Amino acid sequence: MDRAEFGAVLRAARARIIPAEVGLPAGSRRQVPGLRREEVAQLAGISVAYLTRLEQGRGPIPSIQVLGALATALRLDTDDRELIFHLAGSVPPPAALVPRRITPSVRTLLEHLADLPVLVLSAAGDILAWNRLTTELLGDFALLPPDQRNILRLRFLGSGLPRMTTESMRAIPAEHCVGSLRGAGARYSADRELARLISELRGGSDEFRQIWRAGSARTRRSGVVTIEHPDFGPLTVQGDTLRLPDTDQTVIIYTPAPDSKAAAVFRHWRENTEIPEVPASGRNPEPAPHPRLRAFGSVLEVN
C-alpha cells in the first residue's frame, strides 16, 4: 500500500466536493474548501479518527468495503475509484451488472454517423441503440420484444426479423460472439439476466454449446462481412468495432467500399435515389475505410 499517495488522493478528493453536492449546507464558517473530515467519515460510515489516519498516511490497509464506501462518499469517478483501490494494494471489484444504458456522448456519435448503419451493443450483446440505415440493412429491432433484442440470441437461436435472414446472421463470427460473452460472464457474475442468456444459449444451440465447451476466448473484431439482404442480395461491408471502456459497450459501424453495390444501396437508402442495379454475380469489392462522414437522418434509441 502506498500510504502517502493514498492519503494525498483522499485529501484532494475531499477538497473538490461542494457541500451542496452531497446535501450539506455551505455554511459561513468553512475555512477550507470541500468537506470536513467528520462529514466524509459520516458519509462513509467510518470514524473520524480512522479517516484522519488514512489521510495522514499512517492508517492500516483499508478493506474493500471501506474503499468502496470512501469512493461513494467522495463521489469518485471510475478512474479515481480504481486509483484508490490500486494505491491500497487491492483489485477494484467489477460492476455488479452489465451497463445497459447509452451515454449522451454515444447518442451524439450515432447522430453524426447517421449515413452509415450503426449498432450499439452491451457487453452481453444486448442491442441498445441503432439508426435508420441499420433498420434498412438488418431489420427493425423495435419489432422484437425488448428481452429478445440481443445479437447472440439472434445469431444462435433464430432472428424473427424479416430482413435478418439466417444467412445474414451467419456472417457474424460465432467464436467472437461466444468469446465476448464468456468474458462478460466472468466480469459480471452477479448479473442474473446475463446468466439466464448463457443458459438459454447453451441449452438451445448446439453450435454455441460446442464453442463454449472449447473454451474460446476470442472477442469481437473488425472485419469484412457479407449480409444477405432480401431485396438487394449480398452486400459486402466492413464491420468496424469501437470499444467504449467506461460502459463496456461496443459500437459497430458498417462501411461499404466506394463504388460498390453496397455503397449504391446505402446511397439509395439515404437519399431516396433510384434503386441500384444488382450485379448478377452478387460480388462486391472489398470495403475500404469511409473517407468522410457527415450527419444525416435521425437516431432510433430503444431503452
Side-chain angles (χ1 to χ4, degrees), residues 9-300:
V9 170
L10 291 186
R11 295 194 303 272
R14 178 165 62 85
R16 288 197 301 265
I17 299 178
I18 299 173
E21 292 179 346
V22 293
L24 296 174
S28 58
R29 297 183 179 180
R30 291 184 180 273
Q31 299 178 355
V32 294
L35 300 182
R36 302 184 180 97
R37 278 180 181 156
E38 56 266 27
E39 292 169 335
V40 173
Q42 182 178 1
L43 291 170
I46 61 177
S47 70
V48 178
Y50 183 25
L51 178 60
T52 300
R53 292 197 300 272
L54 289 175
E55 286 195 356
Q56 293 177 348
R58 57 186 181 87
I61 297 176
S63 66
I64 291 178
Q65 291 75 19
V66 169
L67 291 170
L70 285 170
T72 301
L74 294 169
R75 303 174 69 86
L76 300 182
D77 61 20
T78 302
D79 293 334
D80 286 338
R81 179 179 179 274
E82 292 185 355
L83 176 62
I84 68 166
F85 272 86
H86 289 307
L87 290 174
S90 299
V91 178
L97 303 178
V98 174
R100 291 183 171 90
R101 284 187 172 274
I102 64 170
T103 64
S105 60
V106 173
R107 190 177 298 113
T108 300
L109 174 67
L110 286 173
E111 292 172 354
H112 287 279
L113 291 176
D115 63 340
L116 296 170
V118 183
L119 278 173
V120 182
L121 304 178
S122 75
D126 303 300
I127 302 167
L128 305 178
W130 62 93
N131 61 8
R132 183 176 62 84
L133 260 66
T134 304
T135 300
E136 297 285 359
L137 180 65
L138 298 177
D140 189 354
F141 296 109
L143 299 177
L144 294 174
D147 62 350
Q148 297 298 311
R149 297 170 194 161
N150 182 283
I151 202 70
L152 287 106
R153 185 174 275 114
L154 300 178
R155 168 65 176 80
F156 292 102
L157 301 181
S159 69
L161 284 176
R163 292 179 184 168
M164 190 174 286
T165 63
T166 301
E167 292 77 9
S168 296
M169 294 311 300
R170 294 296 176 186
I172 302 175
E175 290 189 357
H176 294 177
C177 288
V178 177
S180 295
L181 192 64
R182 182 184 293 277
R187 294 192 299 277
Y188 305 101
S189 57
D191 193 305
R192 293 183 179 180
E193 186 174 339
L194 173 58
R196 184 167 56 250
L197 171 66
I198 294 174
S199 178
E200 290 178 8
L201 291 170
R202 294 182 69 178
S205 170
D206 291 337
E207 181 184 16
F208 181 91
R209 186 165 51 252
Q210 291 173 3
I211 299 174
W212 184 271
R213 286 175 178 171
S216 172
R218 296 184 181 181
T219 58
R220 294 187 184 93
R221 294 287 189 272
S222 300
V224 177
V225 297
T226 298
I227 296 173
E228 290 288 340
H229 195 275
D231 297 328
F232 299 103
L235 300 176
T236 300
V237 294
Q238 171 75 26
D240 289 305
T241 60
L242 306 178
R243 296 299 301 274
L244 306 176
D246 288 347
T247 56
D248 201 10
Q249 294 170 2
T250 301
V251 179
I252 301 178
I253 306 169
Y254 294 102
T255 306
D259 302 322
S260 66
K261 182 180 71 173
V265 171
F266 285 15
R267 185 166 56 250
H268 162 66
W269 288 334
R270 290 195 309 265
E271 304 171 2
N272 198 26
T273 58
E274 291 185 10
I275 298 177
E277 294 183 3
V278 179
S281 65
R283 294 184 178 181
N284 296 268
E286 186 167 314
H290 197 276
R292 192 173 183 181
L293 300 176
R294 66 180 186 278
F296 188 96
S298 60
V299 173
L300 170 62

